[in-house]
Amino acid sequence: MTDVLDDMDRLVGLTPEDALFKARRFRPEFVDGTEICRASVLHPANDQGLGADLRLALGLRMAQLNAHKTLAADYRAQLLALEPTPQIIALADGATDLEEPLATIARHVDLITLEPIKATAGDIARLAAAGFSNPQIVALSELIAFVNFQVRVATGLSLMRSA
């Protein structure tokens, strides 16, 4: 069992002395897997033309859509460290009146985050029509899935911690 804090521990405020921290280490493959996934979607070796600033802005946008203040603050700090453009900041902060292709990305991220059941093949076609390649659409889908997973795990751990 490792006593190294991971990103999820930090988000929830766990320390190695916490019972919940120790309980997470009963399944180290989940702890390690989450951290590996986080690194691979936020800072992949091949970003497919979707830079770290865009990825962090979308992470911030999704954290805010999910009303997860701690995660939103974390994404905001990481994003601001990259000195993003005003357009990327607007995307992160929930703007919808964006230039293309950011407007299409924003609509897609919002849909999948808030109402995934309403998503159709047409939504993927809109991303392609906006100029995104299949690898970019897959990378975007992985990012959306991970950040929404991250919100749910952090929320669940916070609830368990407060019980």
Side-chain angles (χ1 to χ4, degrees):
M1 181 185 313
T2 178
D3 286 339
V4 176
L5 291 172
D6 72 348
D7 192 61
M8 196 61 68
D9 296 322
R10 195 173 46 76
L11 286 172
V12 179
L14 299 178
T15 66
E17 296 77 34
D18 290 318
L20 190 53
F21 175 93
K22 293 172 184 169
R24 287 188 72 223
R25 272 55 189 184
F26 288 132
R27 296 300 298 268
E29 65 274 20
F30 291 147
V31 175
D32 294 342
T34 299
E35 195 62 21
I36 290 166
C37 188
R38 183 186 67 78
S40 72
V41 299
L42 293 175
H43 305 287
N46 179 348
D47 70 8
Q48 301 294 335
L50 305 175
D53 59 342
L54 175 64
R55 290 167 184 263
L56 293 169
L58 293 173
L60 173 53
R61 185 181 186 101
M62 288 180 274
Q64 291 178 144
L65 287 170
N66 282 295
H68 199 290
K69 292 178 183 179
T70 305
L71 187 58
D74 185 59
Y75 276 117
R76 183 173 299 282
Q78 291 180 68
L79 176 61
L80 292 178
L82 298 178
E83 299 180 6
T85 66
Q87 192 76 349
I88 292 291
I89 292 286
L91 171 68
D93 285 337
T96 55
D97 59 335
L98 301 161
E99 295 174 11
E100 288 298 341
L102 296 182
T104 297
I105 292 175
R107 280 190 299 275
H108 189 73
V109 166
D110 294 357
L111 172 68
I112 302 302
T113 298
L114 297 173
E115 300 180 288
I117 197 164
K118 291 184 178 179
T120 68
D123 297 301
I124 299 298
R126 277 187 275 293
L127 289 170
F132 293 99
S133 67
N134 285 341
Q136 288 175 317
I137 293 169
V138 169
L140 180 61
S141 298
E142 291 169 342
L143 175 66
I144 295 168
F146 176 75
V147 174
N148 283 293
F149 161 82
Q150 189 180 33
V151 165
R152 282 154 184 75
V153 171
T155 299
L157 289 172
S158 294
L159 290 171
M160 290 173 67
R161 187 168 191 233
S162 67

